[in-house]
Amino acid sequence: MCGIVGYIGNKNSQEILLEGLKKLEYRGYDSAGLAVFTKNGLEVTKAKGRIAVLEAQLGGAPLRGTVGIGHTRWATHGKPSDVNSHPHTDDTLKFSVVHNGIIENYIHLKEELIAKGHVFVSETDTEVISHLIAEAYDGDIVTAVQKAVRQMTGAFALGVLTEYEPDKLVAVRLASPLIIGVGDGENFIGSDIPAILEYTRDVYILSDGEMAVLTRDGVELRTLEGNFISRELFHVDWDIVTAEKAGFDHFMLKEIYEQPKAYRDTMGSRIDPSGTRIVLNELKMTFEQISSLQRVHIVACGTAYHAGLIGKNVIEKLVRIPVEIDVASEYRYRSPIITKDTLVIVVSQSGETADTLAALREAKRCGARVVAITNVVGSTAAREADDCITTWAGPEIAVASTKAYTSQLIAFYLFGLYLAQTRGTQDNSYIRNVITALKALPEQVETILSQTEQIKTFANEIAAHNNLFFIGRGMDYAVAQEGSLKLKEISYIHSEAYAAGELKHGTLALIEEGIPVIALATQEDLFEKTVSNIKEVKARGANVLGISAMNEHELVKSVDQYFAIPKTLDLLTPALSVIPLQLLAYYASIARGNDVDKPRNLAKSVTVE
C-alpha cells in the first residue's frame, strides 16, 4: 500500500528521502511527508497530493539534517489530507512514525491513550503508534518500540525516530514488506529495493517479526523479543536503469514492450539445451510427491488471479488432475478441503500481497505443500512457500500489471509441462512441440508490438464511451477478464467480460447501438461458436473489434475491425492475445487524459487485507 523510506548518515537526508519516495510513488500517492532531525529538533513537513506538491513545499522551507524518514500514502484510515499524511507524531512532537499496513485494534488503543491524556489530531490508525511508543518510552527507543508493537494487532512495517535518540532509526516488519540498505557510513530503510538502489546494492530483507536498529556505523537485526539475528547481505545485481522509463512516455508502455525479454528471461535455463524437457531445479518436490498429487488449488488476487485462470486450464489439460481457483481474500473463509495430496499454488507479483499470504499460511497450516509464483526474490511468499518459481520480469513500476502477468503465464506453462513430463501424462513428442511453440512466443509478441496503429484507432473510439464488453470462450474468456480489468484500472471505463456463450442468458439486454465489444476468437475448437456469438451482438448494433489468429472470411466480415495475432498452439494463445488488450487499455487511458502509471484509488502492492 504505502511507501516508506528512511536515512541515517552524513548527507542531506531531504534529497535522499524525496528521491526514494519518487521510486515508491507507485505504492501510494494521495499524500506524502518527511520527518527530519534539524538543528531545531524533529521537524515534520507533509502535504496532500503527489510528491511533487511536497517537494515544492520543501523548496521554500527545506528540512536540513542527516537523519530522517519519509512516506507516500495510499489511504486506508482517513481521507487524503495534510493532517492525515505521514509521518505522524505524538502530542509532545518528540516521536515520529511512518507506517505501511493497518492496525486492526487502533480504536481500542486510541481510547486507552485518550483516557491517559493523549491528544490526537488525525483520523488515522498510524497516529496511535507514535503515542504508544511515547507512552512506553523509558530511555530506550528499541524497548519502547517492542512494547508498543506487542500491543498492536494487524499488518505493518514501521520506521521510527525520536528526538531523545537522534542517532538511531528503528524499523519493524510484521506482514508488510521492508528492506534495510547497508552503505558506507550510512544506512537506509525502504518498502522496496528501487527506493535505495541509487545509494547501495547491499540489503537485508526483514522477515515477519523482525526489527532493525540503524545507526551511521551499522545495522543490528533483532527479533521483536530482542534476540539478535545474524544474516547474510543480499546483493542486488539488476541495474537501476531497469526501473526508469528508458525513453517511453510511461512505465506501463515500457513494461508492455519489455514482455519479449521477460518471456525469454523467465524461460531461461528452465528449458534444457535440447529443447525437449523442462528443468525446474528450484523445485524440491520429489517424484513421489508429484506423482501422488490428487488436486491443485490456485490462489491469487486481481491480475494474478487471471493468470491463475490460465494456469488452471494449463494444468488440467497437461496433467489431467482437477484444479480449483480461488480469489485469495475468500479462500480461507470457505474452509477449503485440503489433504496431504493437495498442492496449493499462490501467485503474487510482489510476493507480499496480504490476502495471498494469509491463504498461503492457511494452506500450510492444513498440511498442503505450497508453490509460490512471484517476481520478487526474497519476498515473503518466496520464503514461506515450500517451493518458489521466480518470474524474471524485472521491476514492474506501473500500477497496472502487464509483464508480471504474462511472466506468470510463462511460469504456469513451464510448471504444467514439468508436472506432465514427471507424471507421464503427455508423451515426449507433444511436450517437445509445446516447448518449441513456447520458445517462439517472444518473437511473436514483438510482431504484435510492431503493429499497434489499429489498436490506437479503436482505443480512441472507445475512449468516448462509458461502457463496453469483452467476450470470449474457454481460455479466451479468461483473457477477456484480464483485458476488462486492465481497461477499468487505467481508463475508468466501465467494462465487463462475459463468457460468450452466456450472452443469450441475459447479457444481450445490455447490447445497444454503437456499444463497443472486444471479441476474442483464438481457440480453434470454439471458433465457429464464438463467431456465432459475435453475430449476435452485431445484430443488436454493437461495434466489434475481433482478435484472432484465424483469418477466416466469416470472422473478418462479421466484425467492424480486426486485429490479427500470430498463430500458435491454442494452449499458448493467452500469452499473445492479451498484448493488444494491454495496448487498448493504455491508449484509451491516454485518449481520456489519465495518469496511466498511477490510476486513481489504486496502489501497486496490496499489503493489507
PDB file of all heavy atoms in Angstrom, residues 340-357:
ATOM      1  N   LYS A 340      -3.281 -34.043   2.329  1.00  0.00           N
ATOM      2  CA  LYS A 340      -1.825 -34.131   2.150  1.00  0.00           C
ATOM      3  C   LYS A 340      -1.453 -34.266   0.677  1.00  0.00           C
ATOM      4  O   LYS A 340      -0.297 -34.043   0.302  1.00  0.00           O
ATOM      5  CB  LYS A 340      -1.247 -35.307   2.943  1.00  0.00           C
ATOM      6  CG  LYS A 340      -1.754 -36.671   2.537  1.00  0.00           C
ATOM      7  CD  LYS A 340      -1.154 -37.763   3.414  1.00  0.00           C
ATOM      8  CE  LYS A 340      -1.694 -39.137   3.044  1.00  0.00           C
ATOM      9  NZ  LYS A 340      -1.348 -39.566   1.703  1.00  0.00           N
ATOM     10  N   ASP A 341      -2.416 -34.626  -0.166  1.00  0.00           N
ATOM     11  CA  ASP A 341      -2.164 -34.774  -1.604  1.00  0.00           C
ATOM     12  C   ASP A 341      -2.608 -33.547  -2.403  1.00  0.00           C
ATOM     13  O   ASP A 341      -2.736 -33.610  -3.624  1.00  0.00           O
ATOM     14  CB  ASP A 341      -2.887 -36.017  -2.137  1.00  0.00           C
ATOM     15  CG  ASP A 341      -2.377 -37.292  -1.478  1.00  0.00           C
ATOM     16  OD1 ASP A 341      -1.162 -37.365  -1.224  1.00  0.00           O
ATOM     17  OD2 ASP A 341      -3.197 -38.185  -1.202  1.00  0.00           O
ATOM     18  N   THR A 342      -2.853 -32.426  -1.685  1.00  0.00           N
ATOM     19  CA  THR A 342      -3.245 -31.182  -2.336  1.00  0.00           C
ATOM     20  C   THR A 342      -2.021 -30.285  -2.498  1.00  0.00           C
ATOM     21  O   THR A 342      -1.255 -30.092  -1.556  1.00  0.00           O
ATOM     22  CB  THR A 342      -4.306 -30.432  -1.505  1.00  0.00           C
ATOM     23  OG1 THR A 342      -5.445 -31.269  -1.322  1.00  0.00           O
ATOM     24  CG2 THR A 342      -4.724 -29.142  -2.202  1.00  0.00           C
ATOM     25  N   LEU A 343      -1.851 -29.756  -3.682  1.00  0.00           N
ATOM     26  CA  LEU A 343      -0.824 -28.749  -3.926  1.00  0.00           C
ATOM     27  C   LEU A 343      -1.507 -27.394  -4.051  1.00  0.00           C
ATOM     28  O   LEU A 343      -2.466 -27.250  -4.811  1.00  0.00           O
ATOM     29  CB  LEU A 343      -0.057 -29.053  -5.214  1.00  0.00           C
ATOM     30  CG  LEU A 343       1.010 -28.021  -5.617  1.00  0.00           C
ATOM     31  CD1 LEU A 343       2.187 -28.059  -4.643  1.00  0.00           C
ATOM     32  CD2 LEU A 343       1.496 -28.250  -7.045  1.00  0.00           C
ATOM     33  N   VAL A 344      -1.023 -26.415  -3.311  1.00  0.00           N
ATOM     34  CA  VAL A 344      -1.565 -25.060  -3.395  1.00  0.00           C
ATOM     35  C   VAL A 344      -0.531 -24.168  -4.081  1.00  0.00           C
ATOM     36  O   VAL A 344       0.638 -24.132  -3.684  1.00  0.00           O
ATOM     37  CB  VAL A 344      -1.914 -24.511  -2.004  1.00  0.00           C
ATOM     38  CG1 VAL A 344      -2.365 -23.047  -2.097  1.00  0.00           C
ATOM     39  CG2 VAL A 344      -3.011 -25.357  -1.361  1.00  0.00           C
ATOM     40  N   ILE A 345      -0.956 -23.480  -5.133  1.00  0.00           N
ATOM     41  CA  ILE A 345      -0.093 -22.549  -5.856  1.00  0.00           C
ATOM     42  C   ILE A 345      -0.576 -21.133  -5.547  1.00  0.00           C
ATOM     43  O   ILE A 345      -1.729 -20.794  -5.820  1.00  0.00           O
ATOM     44  CB  ILE A 345      -0.139 -22.788  -7.373  1.00  0.00           C
ATOM     45  CG1 ILE A 345       0.245 -24.236  -7.705  1.00  0.00           C
ATOM     46  CG2 ILE A 345       0.790 -21.814  -8.101  1.00  0.00           C
ATOM     47  CD1 ILE A 345       0.050 -24.604  -9.168  1.00  0.00           C
ATOM     48  N   VAL A 346       0.276 -20.319  -4.955  1.00  0.00           N
ATOM     49  CA  VAL A 346      -0.061 -18.920  -4.700  1.00  0.00           C
ATOM     50  C   VAL A 346       0.688 -18.059  -5.709  1.00  0.00           C
ATOM     51  O   VAL A 346       1.848 -18.311  -6.018  1.00  0.00           O
ATOM     52  CB  VAL A 346       0.264 -18.494  -3.251  1.00  0.00           C
ATOM     53  CG1 VAL A 346      -0.544 -19.308  -2.257  1.00  0.00           C
ATOM     54  CG2 VAL A 346       1.748 -18.611  -2.943  1.00  0.00           C
ATOM     55  N   VAL A 347       0.003 -17.046  -6.223  1.00  0.00           N
ATOM     56  CA  VAL A 347       0.574 -16.203  -7.272  1.00  0.00           C
ATOM     57  C   VAL A 347       0.521 -14.747  -6.816  1.00  0.00           C
ATOM     58  O   VAL A 347      -0.548 -14.248  -6.445  1.00  0.00           O
ATOM     59  CB  VAL A 347      -0.193 -16.353  -8.603  1.00  0.00           C
ATOM     60  CG1 VAL A 347       0.586 -15.704  -9.745  1.00  0.00           C
ATOM     61  CG2 VAL A 347      -0.472 -17.822  -8.915  1.00  0.00           C
ATOM     62  N   SER A 348       1.672 -14.073  -6.837  1.00  0.00           N
ATOM     63  CA  SER A 348       1.729 -12.671  -6.425  1.00  0.00           C
ATOM     64  C   SER A 348       2.949 -12.020  -7.044  1.00  0.00           C
ATOM     65  O   SER A 348       4.066 -12.512  -6.860  1.00  0.00           O
ATOM     66  CB  SER A 348       1.798 -12.553  -4.891  1.00  0.00           C
ATOM     67  OG  SER A 348       2.138 -11.251  -4.476  1.00  0.00           O
ATOM     68  N   GLN A 349       2.753 -10.920  -7.757  1.00  0.00           N
ATOM     69  CA  GLN A 349       3.874 -10.218  -8.358  1.00  0.00           C
ATOM     70  C   GLN A 349       4.890  -9.837  -7.296  1.00  0.00           C
ATOM     71  O   GLN A 349       6.078 -10.104  -7.419  1.00  0.00           O
ATOM     72  CB  GLN A 349       3.384  -8.979  -9.102  1.00  0.00           C
ATOM     73  CG  GLN A 349       4.461  -8.252  -9.901  1.00  0.00           C
ATOM     74  CD  GLN A 349       5.379  -7.350  -9.093  1.00  0.00           C
ATOM     75  OE1 GLN A 349       6.576  -7.279  -9.357  1.00  0.00           O
ATOM     76  NE2 GLN A 349       4.848  -6.660  -8.108  1.00  0.00           N
ATOM     77  N   SER A 350       4.427  -9.186  -6.232  1.00  0.00           N
ATOM     78  CA  SER A 350       5.321  -8.680  -5.195  1.00  0.00           C
ATOM     79  C   SER A 350       5.743  -9.749  -4.207  1.00  0.00           C
ATOM     80  O   SER A 350       6.769  -9.615  -3.547  1.00  0.00           O
ATOM     81  CB  SER A 350       4.640  -7.543  -4.434  1.00  0.00           C
ATOM     82  OG  SER A 350       3.527  -8.034  -3.695  1.00  0.00           O
ATOM     83  N   GLY A 351       4.936 -10.792  -4.075  1.00  0.00           N
ATOM     84  CA  GLY A 351       5.179 -11.777  -3.025  1.00  0.00           C
ATOM     85  C   GLY A 351       4.814 -11.261  -1.652  1.00  0.00           C
ATOM     86  O   GLY A 351       5.121 -11.891  -0.644  1.00  0.00           O
ATOM     87  N   GLU A 352       4.109 -10.122  -1.613  1.00  0.00           N
ATOM     88  CA  GLU A 352       3.751  -9.500  -0.343  1.00  0.00           C
ATOM     89  C   GLU A 352       2.254  -9.229  -0.236  1.00  0.00           C
ATOM     90  O   GLU A 352       1.814  -8.583   0.717  1.00  0.00           O
ATOM     91  CB  GLU A 352       4.507  -8.169  -0.162  1.00  0.00           C
ATOM     92  CG  GLU A 352       6.018  -8.269  -0.263  1.00  0.00           C
ATOM     93  CD  GLU A 352       6.663  -9.048   0.885  1.00  0.00           C
ATOM     94  OE1 GLU A 352       5.946  -9.361   1.866  1.00  0.00           O
ATOM     95  OE2 GLU A 352       7.863  -9.364   0.793  1.00  0.00           O
ATOM     96  N   THR A 353       1.459  -9.712  -1.174  1.00  0.00           N
ATOM     97  CA  THR A 353       0.022  -9.459  -1.169  1.00  0.00           C
ATOM     98  C   THR A 353      -0.605 -10.086   0.080  1.00  0.00           C
ATOM     99  O   THR A 353      -0.529 -11.297   0.289  1.00  0.00           O
ATOM    100  CB  THR A 353      -0.629 -10.037  -2.432  1.00  0.00           C
ATOM    101  OG1 THR A 353       0.101  -9.583  -3.575  1.00  0.00           O
ATOM    102  CG2 THR A 353      -2.076  -9.615  -2.543  1.00  0.00           C
ATOM    103  N   ALA A 354      -1.238  -9.241   0.902  1.00  0.00           N
ATOM    104  CA  ALA A 354      -1.666  -9.689   2.234  1.00  0.00           C
ATOM    105  C   ALA A 354      -2.628 -10.869   2.171  1.00  0.00           C
ATOM    106  O   ALA A 354      -2.471 -11.862   2.902  1.00  0.00           O
ATOM    107  CB  ALA A 354      -2.294  -8.516   2.987  1.00  0.00           C
ATOM    108  N   ASP A 355      -3.674 -10.780   1.325  1.00  0.00           N
ATOM    109  CA  ASP A 355      -4.657 -11.861   1.249  1.00  0.00           C
ATOM    110  C   ASP A 355      -4.026 -13.158   0.758  1.00  0.00           C
ATOM    111  O   ASP A 355      -4.364 -14.251   1.233  1.00  0.00           O
ATOM    112  CB  ASP A 355      -5.795 -11.466   0.312  1.00  0.00           C
ATOM    113  CG  ASP A 355      -6.652 -10.346   0.893  1.00  0.00           C
ATOM    114  OD1 ASP A 355      -7.004 -10.434   2.068  1.00  0.00           O
ATOM    115  OD2 ASP A 355      -6.956  -9.391   0.163  1.00  0.00           O
ATOM    116  N   THR A 356      -3.100 -13.047  -0.173  1.00  0.00           N
ATOM    117  CA  THR A 356      -2.444 -14.240  -0.713  1.00  0.00           C
ATOM    118  C   THR A 356      -1.543 -14.880   0.337  1.00  0.00           C
ATOM    119  O   THR A 356      -1.486 -16.110   0.453  1.00  0.00           O
ATOM    120  CB  THR A 356      -1.647 -13.875  -1.974  1.00  0.00           C
ATOM    121  OG1 THR A 356      -2.523 -13.236  -2.912  1.00  0.00           O
ATOM    122  CG2 THR A 356      -1.038 -15.103  -2.613  1.00  0.00           C
ATOM    123  N   LEU A 357      -0.855 -14.064   1.117  1.00  0.00           N
ATOM    124  CA  LEU A 357      -0.021 -14.610   2.192  1.00  0.00           C
ATOM    125  C   LEU A 357      -0.877 -15.288   3.259  1.00  0.00           C
ATOM    126  O   LEU A 357      -0.494 -16.337   3.800  1.00  0.00           O
ATOM    127  CB  LEU A 357       0.820 -13.499   2.823  1.00  0.00           C
ATOM    128  CG  LEU A 357       1.914 -12.897   1.937  1.00  0.00           C
ATOM    129  CD1 LEU A 357       2.623 -11.769   2.667  1.00  0.00           C
ATOM    130  CD2 LEU A 357       2.916 -13.961   1.506  1.00  0.00           C
TER     131      LEU A 357
END
